[in-house]
Amino acid sequence: MKKTWMTGRSWIRAVAATGVLLAGGAAASAESVLRIKMVGDLKQIDPIWTSSFPVRDMAYLVWDTLFAMDKDYKVQPQMVGKYDVSADAKIYTLTLRDGLKWHDGGDVTSADCIASLERWMTKDPLGGELKKYLDRFEKVDDKTFKLVLKEPWGLTLTALGKPSSYVPFMMPERLARTPPDKDVTTPVGSGPYMMKMDEWQPGAKAVYVRNPNYVPRSEPASFMAGGKIAKIDRIERIHIPDEVSAVNALLAGEIDYMEGVPPDMLPLIERSKDVEMMIRDPLGKSVQVVLNHKQPPFDNVKMRQAVQYALSQKDFQEAYFGDKTKLYKICPAIFFCGAPYETDVNSERYMNQNFDKAKALLKEAGYDGTPIIVLHQSDQKEFDDYMTVAVQALRKAGFVVDDQRIDAASVFSRRASKAPANQGGWHIFSTGWGGVDLMNPATNVFVTGACDSAWFGWPCDEELQKLRAAFFAARTDEERKATAIKLQARANDIVTFIPMGQNFIVGAKSKKLQGLLDGPVSSFWNVSKPN
């Protein structure tokens, strides 16, 4: 059946017909406005409740961090003005910068930051490690507080400055006291932009306006660190689920920036005199297939290993990128190819697709034909293509598959469910993490083996926990490398996830835009749009 695509202008008109764009357009007539199309919809706003990247990226506009990572992957003070580490490396004394205020006018205080860190440590794996070393917080005064450790831990600042989910964002104490399994719905932060809740309509648009009281650092902006200068008055995140319509909107000048341009549409970008493609993250990201260890039949390791044999990285990447082979790479390493802990150990099953071996494992496992519920993200072409390939391969290997096509935001919500698969739970979903997240065992969420505290899928493995503890305790690079290899071997044995190749996120922007920063997190401070 021939598809009829909506043009960019007709999509904008369709959204405007709801009144969402018209209201914003009238209000923004005298303002500088940046219109962006990002991957996925925005249905939640709490970056501690969910690790989804759409929420993370927009949260960076609203909330700020104590420390932040620069373009050299070094941690720098951000909200913190000065800090001191005691001679025995057990006490970190942090003092907030002058002039930090919440969007509601209140001062940012030590109590706010302590409460925010306590909530973050309950969700983030690296934060959880910090919690093991933490003896107590001590409030010195309204701007200064201490982290007192039981023993020195060399990754303390790395944890406080981690750039990706879960990011240790600071919130007012009243919000930070929200239980971590309940999402914050009030976007009061201290970041360079403020979210307009009265204009937020999931499925259509989210709006952010400049925070007039934000005090940027004096240093130049560098990745997530340095001076965050809000040069644009108003940022409109327009949700355009159809990427063809989004590209048309970009070419027509109706949006200024698009994340995730489909490879087959890059020739349109390359021929345009008004827009240009860009790759902001030099590390790129990888694609993962995640299995639910808590629900049968994937509580059986042979069933999980059968999935390893069923899938093919090459088929995944070719489905989306076609012949644009420079935009992806086949990679056996769970800690990223091209990164310090790269290894191919114990990757044979997912690097050598073999349906016969998959079927043999299903037989050994006593698979009874229970339908496998696949959360198939269908509103983003990339993941739609991946999961279409996955479903075909699983069926060919002998699995009975219930292919449930839903939007990305629904996947982000449902993957948190630990309910039986046929009662609102799930068996399989796919996701993507950046290199900055996965290249280090300290921040790779798939190697914790932490049972109910692990990332979705909840692998529970004592040996993996011991190896990860050994990584944290290692004193030399050689010891850490050796432990990382053992971690990959064990993670692949029990199938904490299945890596499906690395690739680059291709974006495109109006040539009028200036100041977009490189980095694995899409940021929009320092961006200007001269007429």
Side-chain angles (χ1 to χ4, degrees), residues 247-289:
V247 170
N248 286 334
L250 180 66
L251 293 171
E254 295 163 346
I255 60 175
D256 305 294
Y257 176 86
M258 176 179 175
E259 181 184 64
V261 178
D264 60 355
M265 300 202 73
L266 286 177
L268 293 175
I269 303 297
E270 292 164 350
R271 288 197 295 268
S272 172
K273 62 180 177 56
D274 299 317
V275 302
E276 58 189 355
M277 65 171 283
M278 60 185 305
I279 294 174
R280 300 179 71 178
D281 179 7
L283 273 178
K285 66 177 177 62
S286 66
V287 180
Q288 303 89 39
V289 167

Side-chain angles (χ1 to χ4, degrees), residues 449-521:
C451 310
D452 283 333
S453 297
W455 204 64
F456 309 115
W458 307 284
C460 186
D461 188 70
E462 187 175 349
E463 183 176 340
L464 207 56
Q465 294 173 32
K466 290 179 179 177
L467 285 169
R468 192 161 180 265
F471 180 85
F472 287 130
R475 295 182 178 275
T476 67
D477 289 342
E478 291 73 18
E479 289 177 0
R480 280 186 279 273
K481 174 72 175 181
T483 307
I485 292 172
K486 294 177 182 176
L487 274 165
Q488 171 160 323
R490 182 59 183 169
N492 285 343
D493 258 348
I494 65 170
V495 197
T496 61
F497 77 109
I498 305 172
M500 298 311 303
Q502 290 179 205
N503 55 58
F504 298 106
I505 300 173
V506 181
K509 72 174 185 69
S510 163
K511 290 182 179 178
K512 292 181 180 178
L513 289 189
Q514 298 178 3
L516 278 166
L517 299 170
D518 286 340
V521 176

Side-chain angles (χ1 to χ4, degrees), residues 183-430:
D183 59 323
V184 168
T185 58
T186 305
V188 176
S190 64
Y193 283 89
M194 302 181 293
M195 186 175 183
K196 294 272 292 179
M197 290 298 283
D198 58 336
E199 294 190 45
W200 180 34
Q201 184 170 324
K205 186 172 70 170
V207 175
Y208 304 82
V209 296
R210 175 160 43 192
N211 173 10
N213 297 317
Y214 186 73
V215 180
R217 296 190 69 88
S218 59
E219 300 92 337
S222 174
F223 187 19
M224 311 318 294
K228 299 178 178 178
I229 300 174
K231 296 182 178 178
I232 295 286
D233 294 314
R234 176 182 171 96
I235 298 174
E236 297 181 354
R237 186 190 198 275
I238 310 296
H239 180 60
I240 307 177
D242 169 22
E243 288 158 325
V244 176
S245 296
V247 170
N248 286 334
L250 180 66
L251 293 171
E254 295 163 346
I255 60 175
D256 305 294
Y257 176 86
M258 176 179 175
E259 181 184 64
V261 178
D264 60 355
M265 300 202 73
L266 286 177
L268 293 175
I269 303 297
E270 292 164 350
R271 288 197 295 268
S272 172
K273 62 180 177 56
D274 299 317
V275 302
E276 58 189 355
M277 65 171 283
M278 60 185 305
I279 294 174
R280 300 179 71 178
D281 179 7
L283 273 178
K285 66 177 177 62
S286 66
V287 180
Q288 303 89 39
V289 167
V290 183
L291 309 178
N292 190 338
H293 287 227
K294 293 184 76 70
Q295 299 299 328
F298 288 133
D299 55 349
N300 184 328
V301 68
K302 291 185 183 298
M303 292 293 294
R304 301 195 295 269
Q305 291 177 348
V307 179
Q308 287 177 315
Y309 271 128
L311 303 181
S312 159
Q313 287 194 7
K314 186 171 183 291
D315 289 350
F316 261 56
Q317 298 301 324
E318 282 188 349
Y320 183 63
F321 289 98
D323 61 357
K324 296 189 180 303
T325 56
K326 291 184 178 179
L327 294 180
Y328 71 86
K329 64 172 70 172
I330 305 302
C331 173
I334 70 171
F335 299 121
F336 252 64
C337 286
Y341 301 115
E342 176 183 351
T343 175
D344 64 354
V345 66
N346 202 17
S347 62
E348 293 79 7
R349 280 188 294 275
Y350 57 77
M351 295 301 290
N352 299 283
Q353 187 181 46
N354 190 315
F355 292 115
D356 289 337
K357 290 185 177 179
K359 290 175 181 176
L361 283 168
L362 293 185
K363 187 175 180 180
E364 287 181 39
Y367 177 50
D368 61 359
T370 298
I372 304 302
I373 293 178
V374 174
L375 303 184
H376 184 152
Q377 185 176 320
S378 59
D379 61 341
Q380 185 187 349
K381 186 178 184 307
E382 180 180 3
F383 284 91
D384 189 13
D385 287 350
Y386 295 150
M387 293 316 285
T388 297
V389 168
V391 167
Q392 292 171 347
L394 289 169
R395 285 174 173 159
K396 189 172 180 179
F399 290 92
V400 177
V401 178
D402 181 355
D403 184 14
Q404 298 193 5
R405 297 173 61 85
I406 54 179
D407 62 28
S410 298
V411 173
F412 294 147
S413 294
R414 190 166 164 186
R415 69 187 183 182
S417 172
K418 295 179 181 176
N422 60 0
Q423 297 177 30
W426 56 277
H427 285 117
I428 295 178
F429 72 91
S430 68

